[in-house]
Amino acid sequence: MEKNTTGGVMARVVKILGRTGSQGQCTQVRVEIIDTSSSKRSIIRNVKGPVRVDDVLVLLESEREARRLR
């Protein structure tokens, strides 16, 4: 996987799923892991702060996936 200088994994926001958290402070997004192989692995993560489609995030931990919104 492609790593940056902080040791995180790069991921691109594919879709914004909705707001989450007790006061709506987090946004749940589907991200696609950017790696050198041709596999397109995507996971759901919670993001705090402003985020748009096609933003690139640095995930310090890329194995855990967020729970889906109900």
Side-chain angles (χ1 to χ4, degrees), residues 1-57:
M1 288 189 186
E2 185 177 320
K3 301 240 179 192
N4 66 357
T5 56
T6 61
V9 177
M10 306 286 275
R12 185 176 61 87
V13 176
V14 177
K15 184 178 181 182
I16 296 178
L17 301 174
R19 304 292 285 195
T20 185
S22 60
Q23 298 169 342
Q25 70 271 22
C26 292
T27 306
Q28 198 164 69
V29 297
R30 178 172 297 279
V31 296
E32 188 174 86
I33 305 295
I34 301 171
D35 57 0
T36 56
S37 68
S38 62
S39 66
K40 300 278 185 178
R41 198 172 78 124
S42 66
I43 59 175
I44 295 173
R45 293 300 296 252
N46 292 331
V47 179
K48 190 168 183 178
V51 66
R52 294 183 295 196
V53 175
D54 290 333
D55 281 355
V56 176
L57 306 175

